[in-house]
Amino acid sequence: MSAEAVPTTKPKSNAIGAPSILRRHGSQLGILGVGLAMWLAFVVMAPTVFLDIDIYKAFAESTPFFAIPALALTFVVITGEIDLSFPSVMALGTAAFCQVSEAGFPQWLGLMAGFATGAACGWLNGALVSRLSIPSLVITIGTSFLYRGIELVMQNGTGVPLTEEKYATMLQIFTGQPFGVPIQTLWAVAFTGFLWVLLNRTRFGAHVFLVGDNPTSARLMGVNVVSVKTWCFVLTGLFAVFSGLMTSFVGNYFWPTTGDGALLSSIASVFLGGTSVFGGTGTVLGTLVASYIIGAINAGIVSAGVNAFYTQLVFGLVIVVSVVLQTIIERRLQRRPIITN
Amino acid sequence: MAEGAAPIIAAKGLHKWYSGVHALKNVDFYVTKGEIVGLVGDNGAGKTTLIKVLSGVHRPDQGQVFIEGTPVDIATPKQAMDLGIETIYQTNSMVPTMSIARNLFVGREPLTASFFGIGLMDHAKMRDDSVKAIADVDLHLRSPDALVGELSGGQRQGVAIARAMYFKSKVLILDEPTNHLSVKETSKVIGFVKGLRAQGLTGIFISHNMHHVFQSCDRVVAMARGEVVLNKPIGDTSIDEVHGYL
Ligand SMILES: Nc1ncnc2c1ncn2[C@@H]1O[C@H](COP(=O)(O)OP(=O)(O)OP(=O)(O)O)[C@@H](O)[C@H]1O
Ligand SMILES: [Mg+2]
């Protein structure tokens, strides 16, 4: 090297800046883009329907059924696990509520019994997964049958009418329309806010990400992996019961089959919302947006006058395209150098 | 060992088996306040196993660990940290997808206000304190928000050491902190270790490089096949003598 080329001071090559906003939230862009594009397509296809408030009301009422469990499921997926048993927990928790209330106890006691049941189911899932290191995919298929079985035996296969006369307050809580807005969506938004704070602003949330990123190093750094995972499953149990109660009150009837149909929509919402299958990353806001996109497909296709047979087709296309887009965007952003000199 | 003051950390008669492998055989070990002990030995000698017992990752099958003379049963890494034992492992010492500030406080995030342990994390404190903690180990990073995954190996070890120092560890354990580092980065990390000694900190430094140990430690302990085979102050031994035991 020639002498004059030698710099007099060393470059500060070890100074590294913070990652940009784009870099940190890039994976969210795919889902937002797809959502926006789909909405525009619906508006063009059926302007009378999609510029009217009614359609939005319709899916604001129906989407939270699977969006609310999906929000909590996001936590479980971030820790690198999955819970396939929550639809059964929706039914078992609601059954507990009905049994207690119908036996003549106050309904608030019924609520407590319902949520306690959800928490217990979640705890069992979490304990089996984290203490015994059983893969959650396997064990929650098992507990799914177990919880559904207990519920069917408890109910002897029969449902419970949830009438206006008997359950007026509960109907207000779960199906009211304050200011003309379906309360189901208000609950979903409120829960998103609550869970966002829990995930992004608390120590528990930080540990959820750590456990998902690398459970071994999380433990070495002093994180209680067993407790973090267990709480994520408990959270999912609680939210499942809320959703089970909500759908039952919407239909004024508790069906022993409650929860059927939620599984795939919820899981699709979590992954479509940008949560990684490998754990370690994810957002509740993404899950919420994705839920409404999935909800809008159902409501939108029918209202747009397209044959309902197309629902599944569009549904599949949207999921595949968004996940592919998300992956591509993420890869691009990762490759971009962000080291500043 | 000096009379009176009990060693900060000590282990007596440790045995550890890994399904057939007898990794620790009746190991006695201690570190007194203010000394840096160099722990050396061939691959598989049991160095990492010993420090994993001391830092709550594994429980010994036999034997007892003492902190300042008191027998303790360290069941989890968290408990070890609460007892003042900070460990920087050969691998897995950082979360690459998180910022420097967050990594510094992993597992011990400060809270603004807490009700029964549930509270909001104090991000401002994490950023401010991490800037100070990093400056204390003479690292120069522009932002505490940079992701650890984008740091060099030496810088990462610097952050790990800053973390241990910030939490005022009683004993700082470094398991081969210079592994996979370039010559220049290695000398930086050795600089950190020397800095620890200059500040009167207590620590255990595991290395395969005898020169590094002789440069930065007060005492050397050598292990071979699960046993302690040598324990001498640096001044009373030589690199050749230590090599003879391995
Ligand atoms: N988790 C484990 N399961 C089974 N055997 C293990 C495990 N960890 C270590 N061992 C064995 O125990 C012995 C001691 O290993 P240890 O990691 O303590 O050695 P070390 O001195 O740290 O070696 P190195 O210098 O290569 O890091 C080795 O024979 C190793 O194969
Ligand atoms: Mg080792």
Side-chain angles (χ1 to χ4, degrees), chain B residues 198-219:
Chain B
Q199 293 179 46
L201 279 134
T202 309
I204 303 169
F205 173 45
I206 301 180
S207 176
H208 280 283
N209 188 314
M210 224 54 91
H211 295 282
H212 293 161
V213 170
F214 275 73
Q215 274 173 37
S216 54
C217 298
D218 301 294
R219 182 157 58 89

Side-chain angles (χ1 to χ4, degrees), chain A residues 66-136:
Chain A
F66 63 85
I68 288 174
L71 293 171
L73 188 61
T74 306
F75 280 61
V76 171
V77 176
I78 293 174
T79 66
E81 305 291 350
I82 188 80
D83 182 356
L84 302 179
S85 72
F86 73 86
S88 301
V89 177
M90 288 169 71
L92 185 56
T94 311
F97 167 83
C98 292
Q99 298 254 335
V100 170
S101 306
E102 294 287 311
F105 292 105
Q107 287 167 15
W108 61 263
L109 213 62
L111 280 186
M112 285 176 67
F115 286 114
T117 303
C121 292
W123 183 86
L124 181 63
N125 284 334
L128 291 172
V129 167
S130 60
R131 283 173 204 271
L132 301 181
S133 306
I134 303 174
S136 49

Side-chain angles (χ1 to χ4, degrees), chain B residues 35-41 47 174-178 186 189-191 193-194 197 203-222 230 232-235 237-239 242-243 246:
Chain B
E35 72 172 346
I36 307 276
V37 174
L39 185 56
V40 300
K47 307 180 296 294
L174 297 142
D175 192 353
E176 298 190 41
T178 57
T186 298
V189 172
I190 297 304
V193 179
K194 286 182 183 163
R197 185 158 74 151
I204 303 169
F205 173 45
I206 301 180
S207 176
H208 280 283
N209 188 314
M210 224 54 91
H211 295 282
H212 293 161
V213 170
F214 275 73
Q215 274 173 37
S216 54
C217 298
D218 301 294
R219 182 157 58 89
V220 58
V221 172
L230 174 124
K232 275 191 178 173
I234 291 289
T237 185
S238 66
I239 291 181
V242 176
H243 266 303
L246 301 182

Side-chain angles (χ1 to χ4, degrees), chain A:
Chain A
M1 202 188 282
S2 58
E4 68 266 40
V6 177
T8 48
T9 54
K10 279 193 193 170
K12 270 205 163 179
S13 59
N14 59 358
I16 293 173
S20 69
I21 300 276
L22 183 70
R23 170 67 187 276
R24 276 182 291 160
H25 303 287
S27 62
Q28 304 289 288
L29 296 178
I31 180 70
L32 285 175
V34 169
L36 206 64
M38 216 185 59
W39 177 72
L40 284 174
F42 281 145
V43 170
V44 171
M45 275 154 68
T48 47
V49 177
F50 280 92
L51 294 176
D52 185 29
I53 193 80
D54 280 350
I55 179 77
Y56 299 101
K57 257 192 170 167
F59 75 89
E61 279 173 8
S62 58
T63 303
F65 156 65
F66 63 85
I68 288 174
L71 293 171
L73 188 61
T74 306
F75 280 61
V76 171
V77 176
I78 293 174
T79 66
E81 305 291 350
I82 188 80
D83 182 356
L84 302 179
S85 72
F86 73 86
S88 301
V89 177
M90 288 169 71
L92 185 56
T94 311
F97 167 83
C98 292
Q99 298 254 335
V100 170
S101 306
E102 294 287 311
F105 292 105
Q107 287 167 15
W108 61 263
L109 213 62
L111 280 186
M112 285 176 67
F115 286 114
T117 303
C121 292
W123 183 86
L124 181 63
N125 284 334
L128 291 172
V129 167
S130 60
R131 283 173 204 271
L132 301 181
S133 306
I134 303 174
S136 49
L137 187 72
V138 178
I139 198 67
T140 60
I141 289 179
T143 55
S144 176
F145 283 107
L146 186 69
Y147 301 151
R148 178 71 71 186
I150 296 174
E151 180 249 335
L152 291 174
V153 170
M154 258 169 70
Q155 292 298 120
N156 209 359
T158 56
V160 179
L162 303 167
T163 56
E164 182 68 50
E165 301 85 76
K166 213 172 161 193
Y167 293 99
T169 317
M170 293 294 144
L171 284 164
Q172 274 303 310
I173 295 174
F174 290 104
T175 68
Q177 295 236 351
F179 316 109
V181 184
I183 199 166
Q184 293 93 327
T185 280
L186 294 182
W187 279 119
V189 170
F191 287 146
T192 304
F194 168 73
L195 291 177
W196 185 88
V197 171
L198 189 61
L199 188 59
N200 297 293
R201 287 288 176 267
T202 70
R203 191 185 279 175
F204 169 72
H207 293 184
V208 168
F209 284 112
L210 279 169
V211 166
D213 186 72
N214 187 337
T216 313
S217 71
R219 181 166 183 268
L220 291 182
M221 294 206 256
V223 173
N224 188 336
V225 176
V226 168
S227 137
V228 168
K229 281 195 181 179
T230 306
W231 276 108
C232 290
F233 279 96
V234 168
L235 210 58
T236 306
L238 291 172
F239 279 72
V241 172
F242 188 94
S243 166
L245 289 166
M246 202 179 65
T247 14
S248 302
F249 281 110
V250 168
N252 285 100
Y253 197 86
F254 166 58
W255 296 95
T257 52
T258 295
D260 279 0
L263 185 65
L264 285 183
S265 302
S266 293
I267 292 180
S269 305
V270 173
F271 291 132
L272 191 57
T275 300
S276 164
V277 207
F278 304 109
T281 57
T283 70
V284 282
L285 205 59
T287 301
L288 184 78
V289 172
S291 301
Y292 279 88
I293 288 179
I294 289 171
I297 297 170
N298 284 319
I301 298 257
V302 179
S303 316
V306 182
N307 190 323
F309 295 133
Y310 284 88
T311 315
Q312 301 252 338
L313 178 69
V314 175
F315 193 72
L317 274 178
V318 168
I319 292 180
V320 171
V321 169
S322 349
V323 171
V324 168
L325 269 181
Q326 221 158 269
T327 309
I328 293 175
I329 291 176
E330 210 149 284
R331 296 257 165 84
R332 280 279 154 75
L333 290 173
Q334 302 278 298
R335 221 173 290 138
R336 229 183 48 170
I338 62 148
I339 297 172
T340 55
N341 265 320

Side-chain angles (χ1 to χ4, degrees), chain B residues 42-49 51-52 90 175-176 179 206 208:
Chain B
D42 212 347
N43 290 114
K47 307 180 296 294
T48 299
T49 306
I51 63 107
K52 280 189 170 169
Q90 260 168 302
D175 192 353
E176 298 190 41
N179 238 1
I206 301 180
H208 280 283

